[in-house]
Amino acid sequence: MTDRVNGNMAEILAQKGVSRREFLKFCSIMAGTLALPASFAPKIAHALQTAQRPPVVWLEMQDCAGCTESLLRANQPTVAELVLDVLSLNYHETIMAPSGERAEKSLMDTVAQGGYLTVVEGAIPTKDDGIYCCIGGRTALDILTEVAANTAAIIAVGACAFYGGWPATTPNPTGAQGVRDVISDKPIVNLAGCPYNVDNLTATVVHYLTFNRLPEMDELGRPLFGYGRRIHDNCERRGHFDAGQFVKAWGDEGHRQGWCLYQMGCKGPVAYHNCPTIRWNEGTNWPVGAGHGCIACAGVGFWETPAYQTVEIFGQTPPSTFPAVEEEEGLSAASAGAIGGAAGLVVGVGGAVVARQIMKNETEEA
Amino acid sequence: MADKLVIDPITRIEGHLRLEIEIDGGQVTDAWSSSTMFRGLEIILPGRDPRGAWLMAQRI
């Protein structure tokens, strides 16, 4: 972002000295992340090389800038950074040079041109006419409404922009809501998570540039490639769960041996996210790998369930699903996984009080 | 007669900040800063399971 580059992707790659081999490797990884067959890699490569820079405005509302931190950590692989460089980031409070009126002018100039992508980070307060978040003397709600009017699509990053996040936790003092609660006439993709994972933003941008539309989504507007599979089914500690080997206390022998964190309140059995596979900090690790349970941060209302309260297991828990045999974009491995997950829910509907409560909350919010 | 300069938003910081500066004869005579965003963690945290408080507090 800081190192400004010009031209389309082919020119940027040449400027940055990225080899053809490295670029194609990235395209294959993106095809995999998006749950597309490997044969889509050349199509992605072609789209990225010919893509013009879509203008992007990044709005920060009731946020902690954690999602911005996630964006700024996108420095590996090199090509991913360049894909984000392809975006013309015209407005982003935390990293832009101008302040005050000049900053707001950058925003309004982009809005006047239209056709831009809007990224929203943070919740939108709606109580008391939205006075709990003001930028340049205008409320977040007012700004979002104006910016949304001319945008091509909205990418809501993080739990707060998705459903309100922790500002919306009971008693929700500021009436915080998600983007989809206040904007209804624009395509919105929710990259849920606290924070969202920048690799999912990269993949979403790649999908948008390749197919000229947002990726296939679930009923809550989360892309299936990132949120279609259950964490529990792709967890490296799953073997210990199946073997009945559980951590009973922090620092006990089981914890030192890397056993299952379920009894310490891990929400993996009710959480849907590609966290275990793409991981964080350049693919280094993820919370469960580091020894702490999952808090189900990609779900609606997850803050309402105490982090160390055990959830009830529901459904059958099959291992990771496999990509489709046919080269068809529609039925991806992710959607196949979602169908499998729904079947599992029917099977195990018996004793799943907390799990059902979370699912119920999500349905009600939808 | 003092001039008033308003800078809002202040960029390149985390959070939302507004500055109002009063200038008289090239000298700053008074200044106000306001944080223009409120979420109310102080209202949300009381009554919750204390073991999870750090997870919310680290996201301020």
Side-chain angles (χ1 to χ4, degrees), chain A residues 255-269:
Chain A
H255 198 209
R256 286 197 289 274
Q257 295 294 328
W259 287 1
C260 176
L261 293 157
Y262 170 70
Q263 293 186 8
M264 302 305 289
C266 179
K267 308 291 186 289

Side-chain angles (χ1 to χ4, degrees), chain A:
Chain A
M1 297 300 139
T2 48
D3 192 7
R4 199 77 171 171
V5 287
N6 295 308
N8 63 26
M9 193 71 191
E11 290 157 353
I12 292 167
L13 289 169
Q15 281 172 28
K16 293 281 183 174
V18 174
S19 71
R20 177 82 185 155
R21 182 184 176 86
E22 197 180 343
F23 176 62
L24 289 178
K25 184 179 160 194
F26 168 79
C27 293
S28 300
I29 292 170
M30 276 298 120
T33 307
L34 286 164
L36 295 170
S39 58
F40 269 86
K43 186 171 183 180
I44 290 172
H46 177 74
L48 290 184
Q49 283 176 309
T50 53
Q52 296 303 313
R53 298 159 60 90
V56 174
V57 296
W58 184 295
L59 301 179
E60 291 177 270
M61 306 306 198
Q62 282 180 304
D63 70 318
C64 70
C67 290
T68 290
E69 289 288 341
S70 197
L71 170 75
L72 299 176
R73 293 295 172 274
N75 52 1
Q76 183 103 18
T78 315
V79 189
E81 184 190 9
L82 295 181
V83 168
L84 295 175
D85 269 349
V86 164
L87 303 172
S88 175
L89 197 57
N90 291 0
Y91 180 84
H92 188 310
E93 273 186 69
T94 302
I95 56 180
M96 71 193 300
S99 270
E101 284 173 16
R102 287 182 191 167
E104 297 312 288
K105 186 176 182 302
S106 306
L107 177 61
M108 288 310 144
D109 286 351
T110 308
V111 170
Q113 286 169 13
Y116 48 90
L117 287 171
T118 302
V119 179
V120 182
E121 171 182 5
I124 297 97
T126 58
K127 197 175 162 188
D128 300 330
D129 297 323
I131 58 164
Y132 298 106
C133 181
C134 293
I135 301 151
R138 300 175 65 193
T139 66
L141 186 59
D142 189 26
I143 293 168
L144 177 61
T145 306
E146 180 173 350
V147 171
N150 282 354
T151 195
I154 300 174
I155 302 174
V157 297
C160 301
F162 171 37
Y163 78 90
W166 82 237
T169 305
T170 307
N172 194 351
T174 60
Q177 294 192 323
V179 174
R180 68 201 185 97
D181 300 317
V182 295
I183 302 293
S184 54
D185 57 349
K186 289 289 173 180
I188 301 170
V189 60
N190 293 293
L191 301 182
C194 191
Y196 82 106
N197 192 313
V198 73
D199 291 348
N200 286 335
L201 176 65
T202 309
T204 301
V205 169
V206 165
H207 191 284
Y208 183 78
L209 295 175
T210 306
F211 301 106
N212 205 25
R213 60 182 167 79
L214 296 175
E216 196 184 353
M217 292 179 255
D218 64 13
E219 72 277 10
L220 294 170
R222 296 173 299 192
L224 289 174
F225 74 79
Y227 303 88
R229 301 183 212 192
R230 185 156 39 160
I231 282 190
H232 185 54
D233 300 337
N234 293 285
C235 178
E236 69 243 23
R237 298 186 184 224
R238 177 57 187 275
H240 296 294
F241 174 87
D242 291 340
Q245 296 172 319
F246 296 101
V247 177
K248 307 275 188 188
W250 301 117
D252 71 3
E253 183 59 21
H255 198 209
R256 286 197 289 274
Q257 295 294 328
W259 287 1
C260 176
L261 293 157
Y262 170 70
Q263 293 186 8
M264 302 305 289
C266 179
K267 308 291 186 289
V270 296
Y272 292 80
H273 205 179
N274 54 0
C275 221
T277 43
I278 63 172
R279 299 172 174 241
W280 298 83
N281 297 323
E282 301 164 27
T284 307
N285 209 344
W286 66 299
V288 171
H292 189 279
C294 164
I295 60 170
C297 70
V300 171
F302 70 96
W303 288 113
E304 306 289 355
T305 310
Y308 304 102
Q309 177 181 303
T310 305
V311 291
E312 294 201 34
I313 310 281
F314 69 94
Q316 293 181 333
T317 51
S320 187
T321 50
F322 302 97
V325 177
E326 287 86 9
E327 296 187 359
E328 181 184 295
E329 192 207 334
L331 184 65
S332 62
S335 55
I339 294 163
L345 176 63
V346 174
V347 171
V349 82
V353 182
V354 178
R356 267 188 286 140
Q357 191 57 43
I358 288 177
M359 297 297 287
K360 188 165 159 280
N361 288 344
E362 296 206 353
T363 313
E364 281 171 1
E365 292 282 338

Side-chain angles (χ1 to χ4, degrees), chain A residues 136-137, chain B residues 6-10 16-20 32-36:
Chain B
V6 177
I7 309 174
D8 180 9
I10 301 288
H16 300 283
L17 187 67
R18 173 188 178 95
L19 283 184
E20 295 174 50
W32 300 264
S33 71
S34 7
S35 177
T36 59

Side-chain angles (χ1 to χ4, degrees), chain B:
Chain B
M1 181 62 196
D3 290 324
K4 196 166 189 182
L5 177 67
V6 177
I7 309 174
D8 180 9
I10 301 288
T11 56
R12 280 158 287 149
I13 57 160
E14 191 279 305
H16 300 283
L17 187 67
R18 173 188 178 95
L19 283 184
E20 295 174 50
I21 302 154
E22 212 171 72
I23 302 161
D24 200 355
Q27 299 289 318
V28 173
T29 52
D30 213 342
W32 300 264
S33 71
S34 7
S35 177
T36 59
M37 188 269 280
F38 175 76
R39 286 164 296 178
L41 186 68
E42 306 83 348
I43 300 165
I44 294 168
L45 267 186
R48 292 177 56 90
D49 185 338
R51 295 172 301 168
W54 68 277
L55 285 162
M56 296 192 97
Q58 73 175 187
R59 285 163 162 90
I60 289 174

